[in-house]
Amino acid sequence: MEEHKMDGEKRLEEKCLERKVVYKGKSYEFFVDRVELPDGTEAVREMVKHPGGVAILAMDGENRVLMEEQYRYAICQTITEIPAGKMDKIPGETPQEAAVRELREETGRVADHWEYLGKIYPSPGIVSEVLYLYLATGLHEEERELDSDEFINLKLMELGTVRKGIADGEITDCKTIAALAMAELKGLIEENRRNRYKKVRPSGVANHLTAVLFYERSCN
C-alpha cells in the first residue's frame, strides 16, 4: 500500500474546489465536495450542514438529573438522554436563548441558574454540527410545549444512577456523557455535592464514593 509520508508539521487544511448540493431540507443540507488535500491530491468529501444545537444538563435541588426517553429513528431504538434541540426555530437566537427555550418546550421546566459548560462536535467527520452544552439548576415547573412530531417521556434520575448507566454502557448518548463530564471537570457538581454533605452526611458520603468510582472508571 502506497503511503504519503510527511516530515515535520505541515498544513492539514483541505481546500474546497467544487461543491454539489445533493439535498436541501428544512434544517439540513447534504453536500458532496471535491477537495484539495494537503499534499496537492484530490478527494471527495460528503458532508451534512447542520444549524447547530444545544443540550441541557438540568439538575434539581436533590442532585437528580432530568432525563428524557426518546425514540431515535436513525438508530431504531429508544435512548435515555438529556434535553436538547436544534437552533433553527428563531433567526438570530443565541445558544443560551435556544437552551432556555428547548428546556421549557421539552420538559416544562425553567431554571434560575445557567452555566455554560462548553461545546462539542458530535460527528465532525461528516456533520458540521456544533453542540453547546449548559448546566441548568434551580428548576421550576411550567407547561410543556412539545412539537407535533415529538413524543418524549421524562424522568428524574439520581446522579449516581446516571453515572452508573454511562459506565455500564446503558446510557450511550454522547451529549449526555459530555455534559456530565464537563460539569464534573469544572467542579460544578462537586460543589452541589459538598452542599448536600453538610446537610445529610450519609448521602454526601455515598455521592462522594460514587464520584470516585466514576473518575476511576473513566481513567482506566
Side-chain angles (χ1 to χ4, degrees):
M1 183 175 64
E2 184 179 358
E3 295 184 359
H4 297 276
K5 296 183 179 180
M6 297 183 180
D7 298 325
E9 293 186 2
K10 296 185 179 180
R11 74 178 186 90
L12 300 175
E13 293 83 3
E14 299 177 359
K15 180 182 179 181
C16 180
L17 302 175
E18 181 183 19
R19 168 162 292 178
K20 180 180 179 182
V21 180
V22 177
Y23 173 79
K24 186 173 183 179
K26 179 182 177 182
S27 300
Y28 310 106
E29 291 181 72
F30 182 36
F31 302 138
V32 176
D33 291 358
R34 182 169 61 88
V35 303
E36 180 183 288
L37 302 177
D39 63 358
T41 60
E42 294 185 9
V44 173
R45 297 286 185 248
E46 298 175 344
M47 65 166 285
V48 176
K49 183 179 179 181
H50 191 286
V54 295
I56 307 99
L57 179 66
M59 302 185 67
D60 68 7
E62 298 180 33
N63 258 15
R64 295 179 298 179
V65 183
L66 182 60
M67 301 289 283
E68 299 181 345
E69 290 180 333
Q70 188 170 187
Y71 184 80
R72 292 301 189 178
Y73 183 80
I75 58 174
C76 300
Q77 61 180 282
T78 298
I79 65 173
T80 302
E81 58 187 298
I82 60 176
K86 298 188 296 294
M87 296 173 56
D88 63 347
K89 279 191 174 181
I90 303 175
E93 187 177 42
T94 66
Q96 182 160 338
E97 289 170 343
V100 171
R101 173 180 56 76
E102 285 291 344
L103 183 64
R104 177 178 51 80
E105 289 178 354
E106 290 194 355
T107 72
R109 267 67 170 185
V110 295
D112 290 335
H113 308 291
W114 288 86
E115 188 83 28
Y116 175 60
L117 298 175
K119 64 182 181 181
I120 59 172
Y121 297 96
S123 187
I126 189 172
V127 183
S128 67
E129 178 185 13
V130 55
L131 194 59
Y132 300 91
L133 307 178
Y134 290 88
L135 172 66
T137 55
L139 303 180
H140 305 279
E141 189 169 351
E142 294 187 358
E143 287 190 22
R144 300 169 75 186
E145 297 180 15
L146 292 172
D147 293 336
S148 60
D149 62 347
E150 286 183 317
F151 299 88
I152 299 172
N153 292 331
L154 297 177
K155 59 180 181 180
L156 282 168
M157 296 180 65
E158 295 291 338
L159 182 58
T161 303
V162 176
R163 289 193 182 112
K164 188 176 186 302
I166 293 172
D168 291 345
E170 296 175 358
I171 295 176
T172 56
D173 175 64
C174 70
K175 61 183 176 289
T176 301
I177 298 170
L180 180 58
M182 293 171 83
E184 294 271 13
L185 291 170
K186 289 175 179 289
L188 299 175
I189 295 180
E190 178 75 25
E191 180 178 350
N192 289 341
R193 187 166 58 249
R194 284 200 300 268
N195 290 339
R196 288 192 70 196
Y197 177 78
K198 292 177 182 178
K199 295 179 181 179
V200 185
R201 185 181 181 86
S203 177
V205 172
N207 283 336
H208 176 72
L209 292 175
T210 303
V212 170
L213 289 173
F214 177 81
Y215 281 118
E216 286 180 347
R217 290 187 180 183
S218 299
C219 295
N220 290 335

